[in-house]
Amino acid sequence: FQFDCHNILGTATTEYPGGVFRLGSELYLFLENDIYKYSTANDNWTSVGSAGAGNITGAVVLGTSVYLAKSSGDYYTMNTAETIAASGGGEDAHLFHSWKESGLLWRSFDNNVYYTNDGVTWSAAIEVCSSAYAVRGMAGMGDYLFCATDDGLYRIYGDYAFQVTRWGTTDSDNGRNMIHHNGSLYIPVNNRIFEYNEAGSLREIW
């Protein structure tokens, strides 16, 4: 499946979609701070609206709403009626994550993470790492949320964070786009890929 960004914007562009999500029966993508919907009838993408200032950095669908993380400012939500709204209350989110075993929605901002079971009321901040660093990736494995930061990998247990391992180098790109697949985490670190499995074994695979 290939995205035609010319059809999205109507003019030539060097920008690429930041991500894709399905909400209800519709397929959407986000590009910078805008949301577009795919039309199967017309084979094109049409604008749905904007999620305020600041680029959208991630999207997680939970029930009938999608939660949109932002590079700055409050996070946004959009429901199946395509109503786009800011969270309000200074609730920022650089990343969102959810997985089946957890039953919770998690968000990160700087070096803290928060969780909610209803999408409205959030926990107190759980400090993951030093305030000199930030959470760059989140992935659930089993019953635990794992957070990759500039300096290492952390596991969230209850309302506390414990460091699993420290990276050899500290970098703001460490852990970005970390994923869980078939019982292991795959983590970009210093232009390499590490695998961390449920048994607690860490190895470099690329």
Side-chain angles (χ1 to χ4, degrees), residues 18 57 59-60 95-99 101 135-142 144-149 153-154 167 173-189 192-198 201-203 205:
T57 55
V60 168
L95 296 170
F96 279 111
H97 188 68
S98 182
W99 75 105
E101 289 86 351
V135 174
R136 307 298 180 181
M138 293 193 293
M141 184 165 65
Y144 302 106
L145 176 74
F146 287 83
C147 297
T149 71
L153 180 67
Y154 294 77
W167 309 134
D173 283 331
N174 287 344
R176 291 186 187 273
N177 301 313
M178 175 175 68
I179 64 167
H180 172 258
H181 178 67
N182 285 345
S184 293
L185 302 176
Y186 294 90
I187 316 160
V189 177
R192 296 173 291 169
I193 303 294
F194 284 84
E195 178 190 40
Y196 180 80
N197 63 30
E198 290 181 332
S201 175
L202 180 71
R203 66 186 182 112
I205 60 171

Side-chain angles (χ1 to χ4, degrees), residues 3-75:
F3 295 105
D4 186 343
C5 289
H6 181 88
N7 281 351
I8 294 172
L9 299 180
T11 58
T13 178
T14 58
E15 298 296 328
Y16 292 93
V20 181
F21 61 91
R22 183 174 292 278
L23 183 61
S25 61
E26 303 292 348
L27 183 66
Y28 300 87
L29 66 78
F30 55 91
L31 177 67
E32 296 180 339
N33 63 334
D34 295 316
I35 303 169
Y36 299 84
K37 179 169 66 175
Y38 182 67
S39 168
T40 54
N42 299 319
D43 190 26
N44 65 359
W45 297 85
T46 57
S47 175
V48 172
S50 172
N55 289 346
I56 300 170
T57 55
V60 168
V61 174
L62 192 66
T64 58
S65 294
V66 61
Y67 290 75
L68 303 165
K70 302 292 297 299
S71 60
S72 61
D74 292 350
Y75 70 82

Side-chain angles (χ1 to χ4, degrees), residues 98-169:
S98 182
W99 75 105
K100 184 173 66 174
E101 289 86 351
S102 167
L104 301 172
L105 176 66
W106 293 81
R107 66 180 171 95
S108 72
F109 179 68
D110 291 341
N111 63 320
N112 297 313
V113 294
Y114 310 76
Y115 61 87
T116 177
N117 61 8
D118 61 8
V120 177
T121 304
W122 292 92
S123 70
I126 301 172
E127 186 177 49
V128 177
C129 59
S130 161
S131 60
Y133 307 129
V135 174
R136 307 298 180 181
M138 293 193 293
M141 184 165 65
D143 295 328
Y144 302 106
L145 176 74
F146 287 83
C147 297
T149 71
D150 306 42
D151 70 323
L153 180 67
Y154 294 77
R155 183 180 70 173
I156 308 301
Y157 185 83
D159 287 343
Y160 298 94
F162 300 89
Q163 189 172 57
V164 173
T165 190
R166 183 177 294 276
W167 309 134
T169 59

